[in-house]
C-alpha cells in the first residue's frame, strides 16, 4: 500500500491537516472523535496562525521525536510571541523546513544536512503557473535561522542536551550593503519643495532628520507617540523586544533633535497621539498585519522626486539612514548603543559603513 500523495496546497502542513474551502481542517484519527467534539474533520481556522492556535489548544504533542514535531511545538509556543509581520514569514519558513526535514529524527541532524538544505534552497525557481520566484540564498538563510532558533528552544525545553549545529554553519554569498548616505545628499532631500503646508513631503523630511540623529528603526519611529516625548528626551521601548527583554532607550535632547521633533510636529495634518500620522490622525502601522499602511508608497514617491529634481543619483533606503547614524557615531560602542544592539559585531559588520 502506498500513501496517497498530498495535494500541492497541503504540502508542508502537519500530518492530517488539509486546506479546504478556504479553511484549515484536522482529520481526526479513527476512535479519537470524542476528543474533537465528535467530528471526523475538525475546523481549525481560516488563517494559518488561527489554525495553529486552535490546534495547540486541542492537541499537545509532548512526544517530540522528529524535527517536524519540534517545528510544531515551535509554531505553537514561540512564533505567536513574535511580531505579527514576523509570524507570517516564520510560518512560511517552517512549512518549507517541514517538507525537507520534518521526518528526520530530532537527534540525527548534522551540519552537513544544513549545508545540503542551503545548497538546494539557494537555487531560485519560478512557479510556471503563478510566475512566483521561490528560494534563493537569502530565503535559505532565513529558514535556517528559524530552524536554529527551534533547536535553541529545544535545549531550553529539555528535549536535547546541546544544539546540533550552532556556530558551525558559515554561509557565504551575500555581502552586507555598503551604501553610505552623504551629508550633501541629506541637504538635497531638504530641497524638495512642498506643495502643501502639511503632509507627506514635510513628514518625510522630518522623518529623515530624526532617523539620522537617533538611528531609530521604522517600526519604532512610526509608532512614536506624544507620550514618548518627555522632559529629558525621547523614550523608546523597542517594539521587537516588548514581550521579551523590554529594552528601553532614551535619546537625550540636543538642539538638533529638538529641531527635528518640531519639524515632525509641524508636518502633522491632524491632531493625533502619533508623531507621524495619516490625514485622519491614525498611525501608519496596522497592528493586525504588522505593516505600515501607506508609508512605503510615500517613501517611494519621495525617492522618485529626489532623483528627478536634485543632484542625488542613487536611491537609498530607510535602512541606509539608520546605517548613517551608526557610521557617523564617534565610536563603535556609541553606535551600538544608538541602535540598541546587544551585539557590537552586528553594528560593526552591517551598520558601520565608513
Amino acid at each position: 500500500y502506498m500513501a496517497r500523495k498530498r495535494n500541492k496546497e497541503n504540502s508542508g502542513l502537519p500530518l492530517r491537516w488539509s486546506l479546504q474551502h478556504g479553511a484549515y481542517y484536522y482529520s481526526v484519527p479513527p476512535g479519537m472523535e470524542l476528543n474533537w467534539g465528535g467530528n471526523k474533520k475538525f475546523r481549525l481556522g481560516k488563517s494559518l496562525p488561527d489554525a495553529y492556535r486552535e490546534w495547540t489548544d486541542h492537541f499537545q504533542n509532548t512526544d517530540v521525536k522528529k524535527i517536524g514535531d519540534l517545528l510544531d511545538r515551535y509554531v505553537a509556543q514561540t512564533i505567536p510571541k513574535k511580531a505579527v509581520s514576523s509570524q507570517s514569514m516564520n510560518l512560511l519558513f517552517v512549512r518549507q523546513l517541514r517538507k525537507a526535514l520534518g521526518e528526520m529524527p530530532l537527534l540525527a541532524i548534522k551540519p552537513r544536512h544544513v549545508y545540503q538544505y542551503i545548497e538546494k534552497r539557494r537555487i531560485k525557481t519560478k512557479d510556471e503557473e503563478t510566475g512566483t520566484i521561490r528560494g534563493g540564498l537569502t530565503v535559505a538563510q532565513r529558514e535556517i535561522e528559524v530552524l536554529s532558533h527551534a533547536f535553541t528552544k529545544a535545549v531550553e525545553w529539555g528535549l536535547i542536551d546541546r544544539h546540533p549545529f550552532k556556530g558551525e554553519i558559515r554561509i557565504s554569498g551575500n555581502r552586507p550593503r555598503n551604501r553610505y548616505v552623504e551629508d550633501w545628499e541629506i541637504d538635497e532631500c531638504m530641497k524638495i519643495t512642498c506643495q502643501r503646508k502639511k503632509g507627506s513631503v514635510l513628514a518625510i523630511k522630518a522623518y529623515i532628520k530624526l532617523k539620522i540623529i537617533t538611528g531609530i528603526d521604522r517600526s519604532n519611529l512610526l509608532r512614536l507617540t506624544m507620550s514618548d516625548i518627555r522632559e529629558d528626551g525621547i523614550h523608546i521601548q523597542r517594539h521587537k523586544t516588548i514581550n521579551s527583554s523590554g529594552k528601553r532607550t532614551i535619546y537625550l535632547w540636543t538642539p538638533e533633535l529638538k529641531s527635528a521633533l518640531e519639524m515632525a510636529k509641524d508636518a502633522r495634518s491632524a491632531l493625533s497621539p502619533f508623531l507621524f500620522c495619516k490625514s485622519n490622525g491614525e498611525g501608519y502601522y496596522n497592528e493586525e498585519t504588522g505593516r505600515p499602511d501607506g508609508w512605503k508608497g510615500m517613501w517611494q514617491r519621495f525617492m522618485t522626486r529626489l532623483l528627478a529634481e536634485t543632484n542625488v543619483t542613487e536611491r537609498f533606503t530607510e535602512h541606509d539612514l539608520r546605517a548613517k547614524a551608526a557610521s557617523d557615531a564617534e565610536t563603535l560602542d556609541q553606535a551600538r548603543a544608538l541602535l540598541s544592539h546587544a551585539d557590537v559585531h552586528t553594528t560593526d559588520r552591517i551598520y558601520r559603513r565608513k
Side-chain angles (χ1 to χ4, degrees):
Y1 171 76
M2 292 183 63
R4 186 175 63 182
K5 187 176 180 180
R6 302 193 83 177
N7 293 335
K8 186 176 180 180
E9 63 270 18
N10 299 328
S11 179
L13 292 175
L15 189 65
R16 309 187 75 85
W17 279 40
S18 61
L19 179 61
Q20 301 177 17
H21 311 297
Y24 293 91
Y25 286 83
Y26 175 60
S27 296
V28 180
M32 300 291 291
E33 291 85 357
L34 289 178
N35 293 337
W36 295 86
N39 299 296
K40 290 185 177 181
K41 280 190 177 293
F42 187 87
R43 188 181 188 277
L44 295 167
K46 191 171 183 179
S47 70
L48 201 53
D50 288 342
Y52 270 112
R53 279 191 288 269
E54 182 67 30
W55 175 73
T56 302
D57 290 340
H58 284 84
F59 185 68
Q60 287 291 342
N61 185 1
T62 55
D63 189 16
V64 179
K65 293 182 177 180
K66 300 178 180 179
I67 291 177
D69 300 331
L70 172 61
L71 292 172
D72 289 345
R73 183 164 176 178
Y74 183 79
V75 166
Q77 296 187 13
T78 303
I79 290 182
K81 297 177 183 178
K82 298 188 178 186
V84 176
S85 56
S86 298
Q87 289 183 32
S88 58
M89 292 305 298
N90 275 211
L91 290 172
L92 291 175
F93 297 154
V94 165
R95 192 166 182 169
Q96 292 299 327
L97 290 165
R98 191 197 306 281
K99 288 180 186 179
L101 304 171
E103 293 301 311
M104 180 179 284
L106 192 63
L107 298 177
I109 191 167
K110 300 290 189 293
R112 68 175 182 273
H113 299 125
V114 178
Y115 279 119
Q116 289 167 4
Y117 180 91
I118 293 169
E119 284 305 307
K120 184 176 181 180
R121 287 291 288 157
R122 74 187 298 163
I123 300 172
K124 292 184 178 180
T125 60
K126 185 176 181 180
D127 190 305
E128 296 300 330
E129 295 181 7
T130 64
T132 304
I133 303 296
R134 305 185 188 281
L137 180 59
T138 300
V139 171
Q141 287 176 308
R142 299 294 176 266
E143 289 168 355
I144 293 303
E145 286 170 4
V146 168
L147 180 65
S148 180
H149 191 221
F151 272 100
T152 297
K153 300 303 288 187
V155 175
E156 179 184 322
W157 294 329
L159 301 175
I160 57 177
D161 292 329
R162 62 179 294 275
H163 196 297
F165 59 86
K166 187 174 184 178
E168 298 185 49
I169 304 299
R170 298 288 183 271
I171 304 174
S172 60
N174 286 351
R175 289 186 293 180
R177 185 173 168 85
N178 61 4
R179 171 73 161 100
Y180 175 73
V181 182
E182 302 283 353
D183 290 344
W184 70 265
E185 293 179 291
I186 299 298
D187 293 338
E188 293 292 293
C189 289
M190 299 303 124
K191 293 178 183 178
I192 298 291
T193 58
C194 311
Q195 297 177 347
R196 295 178 295 172
K197 293 182 179 180
K198 307 281 185 182
S200 60
V201 173
L202 286 171
I204 293 284
K205 287 183 176 183
Y207 178 88
I208 290 173
K209 285 284 190 180
L210 278 170
K211 187 176 280 286
I212 63 173
I213 293 170
T214 64
I216 300 173
D217 62 283
R218 182 178 66 189
S219 173
N220 287 288
L221 196 49
L222 291 183
R223 287 185 171 99
L224 198 66
T225 66
M226 303 310 291
S227 62
D228 296 322
I229 300 167
R230 311 283 179 83
E231 186 176 342
D232 57 343
I234 298 175
H235 289 231
I236 292 290
Q237 182 172 32
R238 301 284 164 180
H239 184 76
K240 186 177 180 179
T241 60
I242 195 168
N243 293 320
S244 53
S245 65
K247 183 184 295 182
R248 293 176 180 271
T249 306
I250 301 175
Y251 298 90
L252 299 176
W253 292 123
T254 64
E256 293 78 14
L257 182 56
K258 284 186 175 181
S259 175
L261 177 69
E262 290 304 316
M263 189 176 177
K265 288 164 69 175
D266 290 341
R268 297 194 304 169
S269 56
L271 188 63
S272 171
F274 294 97
L275 181 61
F276 294 97
C277 64
K278 301 176 186 178
S279 58
N280 61 4
E282 294 180 357
Y284 281 98
Y285 262 91
N286 181 332
E287 298 300 344
E288 291 185 2
T289 64
R291 301 185 185 281
D293 294 343
W295 182 263
K296 286 185 178 180
M298 280 174 52
W299 179 265
Q300 292 304 325
R301 289 191 294 274
F302 187 88
M303 282 292 111
T304 300
R305 286 192 62 188
L306 183 68
L307 297 182
E309 301 174 20
T310 73
N311 294 320
V312 178
T313 58
E314 183 183 357
R315 282 178 179 265
F316 55 82
T317 67
E318 297 180 53
H319 210 67
D320 292 333
L321 293 177
R322 185 162 151 82
K324 176 176 176 56
S327 299
D328 291 349
E330 291 186 7
T331 67
L332 177 57
D333 195 58
Q334 286 177 347
R336 182 206 60 77
L338 195 65
L339 272 54
S340 291
H341 284 158
D343 184 1
V344 72
H345 297 294
T346 300
T347 313
D348 191 31
R349 180 173 179 270
I350 299 175
Y351 292 92
R352 297 280 275 186
R353 299 183 182 176
K354 71 170 187 178

